[in-house]
Amino acid sequence: MDNLIMLAFSAFIIENIILSQFLGICPFLGVSTKRSSALGMGMAVIFVMLISSSVTWLLYKYVLEAFDITYMRTIVFILVIASLVQMVETFLKKVSPPLYKALGIYLPLITTNCAVLGVAILNISKEHNFLEMLVYTTFIGLGFLFVMYIFSMLREKLDFAPVPKAFKGAPIALVIAAILAIIFSRFGGII
Amino acid sequence: MNNKENFFKGIIKENPLFVSLLGMCPSLAVTTSLENAIGMTLGVFFVLVLSNFIISLIMSNSKLADLVKPVRIPVYIVVIATLVTIVEMVMHAYLPSLYFSLGVFIPLIVVNCIILGRAEAFASSNKPLDSVIDGVGMALGYGLAIMTISIFREFLGNGTLTVWGDLQVNLTFIFDFLKIEPIAMFVQPVGAFLTFGLILATITAIANNHKNKLAKKVANNG
């Protein structure tokens, strides 16, 4: 149990997926201009990440390893994720229109989001068991949502700040991300 | 567009990293040393050039193109993922230290937006030779960009520049001369965001300056 709490905490804060592992930078910069869209994107990522990590973990353990074809990992994972995102989109459209309305536009963007494939591969290379995989993925996803949300609030304020002309847009966003990264890396001292 | 323009557009005018902001994740993560950046460039170069070539071969055959068109994105992904797997296996076998220091970012070349982006925007509608030239230019542009970031980060953070293996330039005497320590922050995640942000701002400033000058020239002539 202690192990799981530790794993959850380090996935959430210390090994934060955006600020210390640099996965999912594209949505971090692209979809973080408004609070509502940051929230939507974060939710969609958690949702897809959980489903795709579970499926790829099971596939890896019971198909790829069983048949000794682990070198097919990259090809299998990306195809599974791409088709899963499609399936989730169609499924949501039919079953839960309100949820589809909230997450729908972010789903196609997720296929090429390196966070989803990255976490699927990390779960394999860190040799997590199924429970650890679920905890790790959930908290990595929550960490993504958390940082996206903080960052979108900062960017909303930034719209009214007198930013030098050369820094407008991406450069100032990156400098702010650097300051956030300092704060998050200091949390490492807690454990 | 002639071959020369086609080649150089990837390096300066349409630089995938500094101008289009594509492929950000690896450019922040693997730029802790020049050696890692060079390794990443080699990987991206191999995958981008070959995927551009193969995809434009498929798409320039009219029969095959009609067949592939409705499912073209999955087809691109399979081509790219196969090439990435080749890179992964070759690196694991011959450059194990590089393989472990790049880690998860080698398989993640699959989802690097530059490669899928070039496949869709260029290779699918151009001849194989043009696509190869485009791929070489884009890969070099990306490589130069991440090498620039990594030179700043490794020098400021560590005081060295590692080109390849034991070939290392030690520049700590500059820090000794100034009586300061290397700033370790620059090889940590913080430094990645900061360096990238400052380089981008510098480039924007230079570009703005250039634009103003051009506008003045036009105004004077008019």
Side-chain angles (χ1 to χ4, degrees), chain A residues 155-177:
Chain A
R155 283 190 92 170
E156 277 183 0
K157 286 268 183 294
L158 207 62
D159 286 345
F160 306 103
V163 179
K165 214 170 152 198
F167 274 92
K168 277 228 163 72
I172 191 73
L174 283 162
V175 174
I176 291 179

Side-chain angles (χ1 to χ4, degrees), chain A residues 20-56:
Chain A
S20 94
Q21 307 205 36
F22 306 112
L23 296 171
I25 301 285
C26 302
F28 178 59
L29 291 176
V31 210
S32 63
T33 41
K34 276 209 309 260
R35 249 185 288 182
S36 54
S37 50
L39 214 55
M41 185 71 193
M43 295 292 197
V45 166
I46 296 181
F47 193 68
V48 172
M49 230 182 221
L50 261 178
I51 299 177
S52 64
S53 282
S54 314
V55 173
T56 49

Side-chain angles (χ1 to χ4, degrees), chain A residues 52-71:
Chain A
S52 64
S53 282
S54 314
V55 173
T56 49
W57 191 90
L58 290 171
L59 263 179
Y60 189 83
K61 275 278 167 323
Y62 295 106
V63 179
L64 295 188
E65 267 188 355
F67 291 96
D68 201 19
I69 45 172
T70 49
Y71 57 85

Side-chain angles (χ1 to χ4, degrees), chain A residues 18-26 29 71 73-75 78-79 111-112 114 117-118 121 166-167 170-171 174 177-178 181-182, chain B residues 21 24-25 28-29 77-78 81-82 85 88-89 104-105 107-108 110-111 113 116 189-190 192-194 197-198 200-201 204-205:
Chain A
I18 296 175
L19 294 175
S20 94
Q21 307 205 36
F22 306 112
L23 296 171
I25 301 285
C26 302
L29 291 176
Y71 57 85
R73 185 182 71 179
T74 313
I75 301 176
I78 185 70
L79 283 179
T111 320
T112 52
C114 44
L117 180 62
I121 293 174
F167 274 92
L174 283 162
I182 299 182
Chain B
L21 292 181
M24 297 271 288
C25 306
L28 291 169
I77 291 180
V78 173
T82 312
T85 308
E88 216 181 331
M89 290 162 109
V104 70
F105 286 93
L108 284 182
V110 180
V111 282
C113 337
L116 201 60
V190 189
F193 288 112
L194 197 60
L198 294 181
L200 262 189
T204 321

Side-chain angles (χ1 to χ4, degrees), chain B residues 34-73:
Chain B
L34 184 57
E35 188 187 15
N36 284 353
I38 292 174
M40 192 69 200
T41 308
L42 289 180
V44 169
F45 188 89
F46 177 82
V47 176
L48 184 53
V49 172
L50 277 181
S51 81
N52 259 5
F53 180 66
I54 295 172
I55 286 164
S56 77
L57 266 189
I58 296 175
M59 298 308 275
S60 58
N61 180 332
S62 59
K63 243 189 204 159
L64 213 54
D66 286 343
L67 205 67
V68 164
K69 213 146 223 167
V71 286
R72 66 181 190 286
I73 300 289

